[in-house]
Amino acid sequence: MDEPGNRPATIEDVAKLAGVSIATVSRALRSPEKVAESTRKKVTAAIARTGYTANAMAQNLRMQRSQMVLVLASAIADPNFAGLLTGLEKAANDRGYGVLIGNTEGTTGLEQNYLRFLSTGMADGLILLTGHIPVAGEPQTPLTALPPIVATERPVDRPDISYVGVDDVASSKMATEYLISLGHRRIVFISGGPADIRSDLRHTGYQKGLQESAVSLRDWRMEGDGSAESGRAAVERLFIKDDLPTAFFCFNDNTAIGVISALQLRGYNVPEDFSVLGFDDIPFANNFTPGLTTIRQPRHHIGELAMNILLDKLANKSLPAQTHLLHGDLVVRESCSGLHRKS
């Protein structure tokens, strides 16, 4: 190359240094997943040596795409969000896309703002974690006004939208069967609230576990809202009624932590006096005393799969909607044990 330091590097310079065609360099930049790894490494090294910067803005304008995906969540402070985002970003980066994050805080106003943002074409696709099509509380937005969508974390009641998440029903059934195997016959389910579809799905799994038991067991549900405070409140209501279970199966780990805290404040030991089982396996679950027995969600895998399905849809709009329910793992720690007292 003639005096490359005196002029901006071109795609021709990259191709010559990498020993490939200009078309291959272009393809490696636009669709890296379609290029052999060895070739991608040659192109990447040549780009680094030449200092070549592709005019991505111009390319994207010509192709009428932004190479960005919007991830719309109702609460990015949710302990599950970081793991999902890691998987989403990895899959996006591997295929030449970037990720934008929208936090709606559960408000219609912020959802409307993000809808206006989507209408500008600044994002090619939408990963939806809110459980509903924007805007909440408004007539359903027609899908023709939105980019391709994949839902995760919470399923959307639309058969034309792909969903990737943990199998709430099967996982909750497994958790319930585990408590039964320990000898528990009075198992209360603390829900996540009537507005959360995951709560109903996990309750369904709990019911299946009870129904398939060799003995007749009570279907016992108490309403919560997924917070630690709702777990503490559920314990207080049970003690006021003097109607106590031997085991608690909680909608999520936050609720389970609240249950354990309330029991400990009353002078009880977990699991000697009561067993408590959560759902999610948030990072704090193993740093709590006792360590929380729970269902682990494959958050990273869920994020990767959801993003890849969306990017496949962007490449081929005719692809049908898909549903992928991934297996949750029972993580046994110290908060559950065999029954030590009479039910």
Side-chain angles (χ1 to χ4, degrees), residues 39-317:
T39 302
R40 285 203 310 270
K41 288 181 178 178
K42 290 179 183 177
V43 172
T44 301
I47 288 172
R49 286 185 60 186
T50 61
Y52 173 69
T53 303
N55 190 342
M57 183 69 77
Q59 288 180 353
N60 292 340
L61 286 173
R62 286 196 299 272
M63 294 184 290
Q64 294 186 323
R65 66 186 188 189
S66 67
Q67 296 291 108
M68 301 297 291
V69 170
L70 177 63
V71 177
L72 197 61
S74 54
I76 61 173
D78 186 312
N80 290 304
F81 183 72
L84 279 169
L85 182 61
T86 301
L88 290 166
E89 286 193 317
K90 181 183 185 304
N93 291 335
D94 285 349
R95 296 177 63 172
Y97 276 77
V99 172
L100 302 168
I101 300 172
N103 183 28
T104 71
E105 299 177 8
T107 66
T108 299
L110 286 173
E111 285 194 6
Q112 289 173 331
N113 288 343
Y114 287 115
L115 272 180
R116 285 191 286 270
F117 174 83
L118 286 170
S119 70
T120 67
M122 294 297 288
D124 299 329
L126 177 61
I127 297 286
L128 198 61
L129 279 69
T130 61
H132 60 264
I133 300 297
V135 172
E138 298 291 331
Q140 285 198 334
T141 305
L143 289 186
T144 53
L146 294 169
I149 298 172
V150 172
T152 185
E153 182 68 7
R154 295 171 175 84
V156 175
D157 189 20
R158 298 282 291 257
D160 46 355
I161 293 179
S162 294
Y163 174 68
V164 182
V166 70
D167 190 333
D168 290 292
V169 175
S171 299
S172 295
K173 180 175 180 288
M174 175 173 58
T176 305
E177 290 172 339
Y178 175 68
L179 291 172
I180 293 170
S181 75
L182 294 176
H184 294 283
R185 299 295 180 262
R186 292 174 58 80
I187 304 167
V188 64
F189 175 76
I190 310 297
S191 81
D196 195 324
I197 180 95
R198 297 171 303 170
S199 183
D200 290 336
L201 292 171
R202 292 174 192 178
H203 183 231
T204 297
Y206 158 82
Q207 289 176 312
K208 286 180 178 290
L210 298 181
Q211 291 163 2
E212 295 184 18
S213 170
V215 295
S216 178
L217 300 178
R218 174 183 178 185
D219 179 1
W220 191 356
R221 172 171 173 157
M222 294 193 68
E223 293 300 326
D225 61 14
S227 67
E229 183 53 42
S230 74
R232 287 189 284 268
V235 170
E236 294 308 312
R237 292 199 304 272
L238 287 167
F239 273 93
I240 288 172
K241 293 179 179 179
D242 195 24
D243 186 15
L244 301 178
T246 63
F248 294 79
F249 174 33
C250 302
F251 162 73
N252 63 9
D253 290 347
N254 280 334
T255 302
I257 288 168
V259 166
I260 293 173
S261 297
L263 291 171
Q264 289 174 337
L265 281 173
R266 283 183 166 268
Y268 291 97
N269 292 317
V270 175
E272 288 81 1
D273 298 312
F274 297 93
S275 287
V276 181
L277 195 151
F279 199 112
D280 288 336
D281 195 28
I282 62 176
F284 190 57
N286 197 30
N287 298 313
F288 189 74
T289 302
L292 185 62
T293 295
T294 186
I295 297 293
R296 175 180 292 155
Q297 288 205 51
R299 290 181 286 268
H300 189 276
H301 187 191
I302 289 171
E304 277 194 291
L305 184 55
M307 181 61 74
N308 279 316
I309 289 173
L310 178 63
L311 298 184
D312 288 345
K313 181 72 171 178
L314 289 174
N316 181 1
K317 298 262 193 320

